[in-house]
Amino acid sequence: MQNPTLKPEDLYPAVEIEAKRARFEQAIADYRKHFGDSAMENMRFFSVPGRTEISGNHTDHNRGKVLAASLSLDIIAVVEPIEIGKIVIKSEGFDENHVMLDYLEPVPHEKGTSEALIRGVAAGFVKSGYKVGGFKAYTTSDVLLGSGMSSSAAFEVMIGIILSALYNNGKVETSRIAKISQKAENDFFGKPSGLLDQMACATGGFIAIDFIDEGSPIINKVNAGINDFGHDLCIINTGSDHCGMTDEYAAITAEMRDVASFFGVDCLRKISRKDIVLNTNVLRKTYGDRALLRALHFYEENDRVDKLVHALESSDFEHFLTYIRQSGDSSFKYLQNIYSTGDVKCQPIAVALNAAEDALEGKGACRVHGGGFAGTVQAFVPHTMLKEFKFALERIFGVGSCYVLSVREHGATELTMDN
């Protein structure tokens, strides 16, 4: 099935259309400034949203369950196909990336770079039997880097949606693009991420994902809107980012799988919480307390995803908020991804959580957002408390650090800029 081409009016809230069109016009001007003048009819336009994880913190890499949503913040691209087999991308504020398509294997010195992601996605397309070809693109993003909104996943999915549109008649399903993108991040970029980030960016809306079968995760749309319940979704940027945290993330995956290996399986989903509890002492001695606690977090978080989906679908927002608080509490106490053990004096996420809880006065909910260790905090704030909440958090982290967002119903897409 061909991916649809949307208009800005289909994608963005009505109050934002004028600003979004102006953003594309500026991107077109910057494209021409960087690459030279080009006719409007030769250009193609794309948008990929960032994502927010509602629950399922660090469960996907052990075939767990996740509730996530696409955000109104996005990365946009102005693109033009070229005849030579080369991808050239200029992202606002960054050096130009260029990757020749005649070699599509991992390059050791490219690990951790945008070139690795570009090469990896192109390689995934070829290995999956799809066509690839050259293009040049100018991108700009309001998805915060290192924020837990998955700027890298949005970038990967952007490469995929462009290759699908330009060289495969838009027929590569977004779920397939997400899987290719994850493989690129794992094998080329060198980050052992699960599939959550890419799938949420590619799909759009609220989605519940069950990764019990990694090759074919079960994806269900959840029909709900935060604003329907009198609350705003806020993301607080603490000013710290995820750069350099790869080892911390990898340790979570490794420790959970170490515990699973004790039972002769490769992931926690293949055993039960009871198995862990009955073997607590030997697991502590073999792998340490943190690995045990992280494994226990997995099962409790997995159960919460089902509870959260049910709460949303039944419009039971009070229980939804309760489960969000429980999820955040488990991440802090058991998963332990609130601050890096390499610098225990630096704990901006914990500071933000304390400030958010104080400002909410027992209402709403807040929790660590995304991968953790640095970056952002997520909060569900009653409409009536939003002004005071923003003031309290921005007093600490700076003006503009508290983003009031909406859930975007469409994932990765091509746009037409016709009026």
Side-chain angles (χ1 to χ4, degrees):
M1 182 177 67
Q2 186 169 346
N3 295 320
T5 299
L6 304 176
K7 296 180 180 180
E9 289 78 6
D10 300 321
L11 198 62
Y12 302 112
V15 295
E16 298 180 9
I17 294 301
E18 185 175 342
K20 296 298 184 181
R21 282 192 172 276
R23 183 178 173 214
F24 270 98
E25 289 169 3
Q26 183 61 54
I28 293 168
D30 290 337
Y31 175 94
R32 287 170 170 160
K33 182 178 180 180
H34 185 78
F35 291 112
D37 199 25
S38 182
M40 188 73 173
E41 58 266 25
N42 295 332
M43 295 179 182
R44 306 278 287 270
F45 308 98
F46 299 87
S47 167
V48 178
R51 66 89 172 138
T52 183
E53 173 196 279
I54 308 300
S55 188
N57 205 202
H58 284 282
T59 61
D60 55 327
H61 47 66
N62 268 260
R63 302 193 188 179
K65 300 177 183 180
V66 177
L67 176 63
S70 297
L71 290 172
S72 49
L73 301 179
D74 63 349
I75 177 174
I76 64 171
V78 179
V79 180
E80 194 171 0
I82 57 178
E83 294 183 1
I84 61 173
K86 183 178 183 180
I87 293 176
V88 183
I89 298 179
K90 168 61 179 173
S91 296
E92 182 182 23
F94 295 90
D95 294 335
E96 183 179 275
N97 306 125
H98 52 90
V99 171
M100 297 300 299
L101 299 176
D102 56 355
Y103 184 80
L104 296 178
E105 297 295 331
V107 178
H109 73 262
E110 284 185 352
K111 279 198 171 184
T113 69
S114 296
E115 283 84 359
L117 298 177
I118 297 167
R119 194 181 304 276
V121 173
F125 264 66
V126 171
K127 289 178 182 178
S128 299
Y130 301 120
K131 297 178 181 178
V132 298
F135 65 83
K136 51 187 179 180
Y138 182 89
T139 76
T140 181
S141 177
D142 54 17
V143 182
L144 302 177
L145 289 173
S147 66
M149 298 182 197
S150 297
S151 56
S152 61
F155 182 81
E156 298 154 15
V157 171
M158 177 66 79
I159 305 304
I161 198 72
I162 292 170
L163 289 173
S164 174
L166 266 55
Y167 296 105
N168 297 274
N169 297 314
K171 293 183 179 180
V172 185
E173 293 185 355
T174 52
S175 60
R176 185 63 197 153
I177 291 172
K179 294 172 188 176
I180 289 172
S181 298
Q182 181 211 12
K183 189 76 170 170
E185 187 156 325
N186 292 172
D187 297 347
F188 286 73
F189 188 83
K191 182 178 178 181
S193 68
L195 186 58
L196 161 64
D197 298 350
Q198 294 82 2
M199 195 66 77
C201 292
T203 304
F206 277 102
I207 53 171
I209 313 173
D210 188 339
F211 292 101
I212 191 167
D213 180 350
E214 287 183 310
S216 300
I218 302 167
I219 305 169
N220 291 310
K221 283 271 192 175
V222 180
N223 296 317
I226 295 299
N227 284 319
D228 296 339
F229 302 106
H231 284 66
D232 291 292
L233 169 60
C234 295
I235 301 293
I236 300 95
N237 179 15
T238 67
S240 57
D241 64 44
H242 291 151
C243 298
M245 296 294 178
T246 297
D247 289 345
E248 298 276 13
Y249 301 135
I252 293 176
T253 304
E255 289 178 15
M256 286 186 180
R257 288 181 177 171
D258 281 344
V259 173
S261 72
F262 177 83
F263 300 93
V265 296
D266 62 353
C267 68
L268 292 175
R269 188 69 179 274
K270 293 182 178 179
I271 54 176
S272 69
R273 186 182 188 278
K274 187 176 181 180
D275 293 320
I276 306 296
V277 172
L278 290 176
N279 290 275
T280 293
N281 289 337
V282 67
L283 289 171
R284 290 181 66 195
K285 292 177 182 177
T286 306
Y287 303 112
D289 289 343
R290 190 174 72 170
L292 170 71
L293 291 169
R294 285 175 164 173
L296 291 171
H297 163 84
F298 171 87
Y299 295 103
E300 294 163 4
E301 191 76 344
N302 232 30
D303 290 343
R304 262 189 296 272
V305 169
D306 290 335
K307 293 176 181 177
L308 278 159
V309 170
H310 178 72
L312 281 175
E313 291 180 335
S314 59
S315 298
D316 184 358
F317 202 64
E318 285 305 312
H319 274 100
F320 173 87
L321 293 174
T322 296
Y323 300 138
I324 292 296
R325 296 186 200 107
Q326 291 175 356
S327 178
D329 190 48
S330 182
S331 290
F332 206 141
K333 292 194 300 189
Y334 306 132
L335 183 63
Q336 300 179 36
N337 66 332
I338 303 302
Y339 57 88
S340 170
T341 56
D343 186 7
V344 296
K345 290 185 177 181
C346 182
Q347 300 188 25
I349 297 297
V351 172
L353 288 170
N354 180 269
E357 288 177 355
D358 185 57
L360 287 170
E361 299 178 346
K363 300 180 177 64
C366 63
R367 49 155 293 170
V368 63
H369 181 243
F373 300 109
T376 55
V377 162
Q378 177 191 83
F380 297 91
V381 183
H383 292 332
T384 56
M385 303 180 74
L386 181 61
K387 184 177 179 181
E388 292 79 7
F389 182 87
K390 278 178 60 66
F391 177 80
L393 272 296
E394 292 186 349
R395 181 178 61 83
I396 299 171
F397 297 105
V399 175
S401 60
C402 181
Y403 292 77
V404 183
L405 304 176
S406 59
V407 174
R408 168 170 148 170
E409 289 304 313
H410 298 281
T413 187
E414 182 172 7
L415 292 175
T416 175
M417 298 306 292
D418 297 336
N419 291 320

